[in-house]
């Protein structure tokens, strides 16, 4: 199926509509030329309202980590964005509910078929890491991120929510060592 048709199918998806408090609004970005794939968790309310992936403070922090400005980040020929759940899942105790489980099996394979095989794939947060690195479930997020180079072609990252500031203060190696490596890996995929 051509990428344009797949995008239309995703945009019209109502697979889990009955479970979505704000209704379906799939948020995804990709192109057959995307050199970087970001797999996150699910859109929050700001992203649901705008329809633009990572259009919030977490996205600002993530773009800073990657060394990308908004123009590059939102260029689907450079960056594909494929969350574990494509729609806002609602609230739960302590924040947003987990991503809906229907999206990844329904759409991830089809999207990845359209992407270059030599792409850089970033697993942002524990939901993406649990799905794509199930053998690492016994590791803490900190250990997965610290040992990131062992999991090629995937690179695990913490979720860039406001809570990550406390994690980064306890793990100064992330900013000192990991972010420069991440930026080099991202720059190597750019034209």
């Amino acid at each position: 199926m051509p990428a344009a048709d797949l995008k239309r199918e995703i945009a019209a998806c109502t697979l889990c509509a009955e479970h979505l408090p704000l209704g379906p609004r799939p948020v995804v970005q990709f192109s057959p030329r995307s050199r970087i794939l970001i797999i996150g968790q699910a859109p929050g309310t700001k992203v649901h309202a705008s329809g633009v992936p990572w259009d919030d403070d977490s996205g600002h922090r993530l773009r800073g980590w990657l060394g990308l400005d908004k123009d590059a980040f939102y260029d689907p020929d450079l960056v594909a964005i494929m969350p574990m759940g494509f729609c806002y899942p609602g609230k739960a105790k302590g924040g947003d509910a987990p991503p809906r489980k229907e999206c990844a099996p329904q759409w991830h394979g089809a999207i990845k078929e359209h992407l270059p095989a030599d792409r850089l794939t970033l697993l942002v947060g524990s939901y993406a890491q649990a799905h794509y690195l199930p053998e690492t479930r016994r590791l803490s997020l900190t250990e997965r991120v610290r040992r990131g180079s062992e999991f090629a072609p995937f690179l695990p990252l913490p979720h860039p929510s406001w809570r990550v500031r406390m994690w980064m203060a306890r793990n100064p190696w992330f900013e000192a060592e990991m972010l420069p490596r991440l930026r080099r890996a991202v720059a190597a995929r750019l034209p």
Side-chain angles (χ1 to χ4, degrees):
M1 162 186 319
D5 292 345
L6 178 58
K7 288 178 186 179
R8 278 191 289 277
E9 275 194 37
I10 292 169
C13 181
T14 59
L15 186 62
C16 60
E18 66 188 85
H19 304 289
L20 301 172
L22 300 181
R25 186 173 193 185
V27 177
V28 65
Q29 166 183 302
F30 66 95
S31 148
R33 292 176 296 281
S34 302
R35 305 287 298 142
I36 300 162
L37 170 60
I38 299 171
I39 305 175
Q41 48 190 57
T45 54
K46 288 181 181 178
V47 171
H48 177 85
S50 72
V52 178
W54 295 98
D55 186 24
D56 55 17
D57 291 340
S58 295
H60 178 74
R61 189 170 289 111
L62 179 61
R63 288 187 294 277
W65 288 355
L66 302 177
L68 294 177
D69 63 20
K70 280 188 168 187
D71 289 341
F73 187 82
Y74 290 117
D75 181 345
D77 286 342
L78 301 178
V79 178
I81 300 171
M82 179 179 78
M84 292 302 298
F86 290 4
C87 298
Y88 172 66
K91 287 284 181 201
K93 185 178 179 182
D96 290 342
R100 295 292 313 165
K101 295 183 185 291
E102 295 88 348
C103 291
Q106 179 70 25
W107 301 114
H108 281 202
I111 291 171
K112 289 188 301 182
E113 286 179 15
H114 286 281
L115 303 178
D118 64 342
R119 67 188 174 268
L120 172 63
T121 301
L122 307 176
L123 302 177
V124 181
S126 58
Y127 294 108
Q129 292 163 24
H131 185 81
Y132 282 96
L133 299 173
E135 70 281 6
T136 69
R137 285 180 197 226
R138 292 199 171 138
L139 297 177
S140 68
L141 172 85
T142 301
E143 280 304 303
R144 279 193 302 272
V145 173
R146 185 185 294 272
R147 295 169 50 185
S149 61
E150 297 175 26
F151 307 120
F154 303 112
L155 184 59
L157 296 172
H159 191 278
S161 73
W162 63 272
R163 292 180 183 105
V164 81
R165 288 180 284 176
M166 294 174 282
W167 180 87
M168 288 175 69
R170 290 188 310 273
N171 297 283
W173 56 266
F174 179 73
E175 195 165 9
E177 300 165 25
M178 181 66 184
L179 289 184
R181 282 194 308 243
L182 173 62
R183 290 179 186 127
R184 285 192 298 273
V186 167
R189 299 310 196 287
L190 300 179

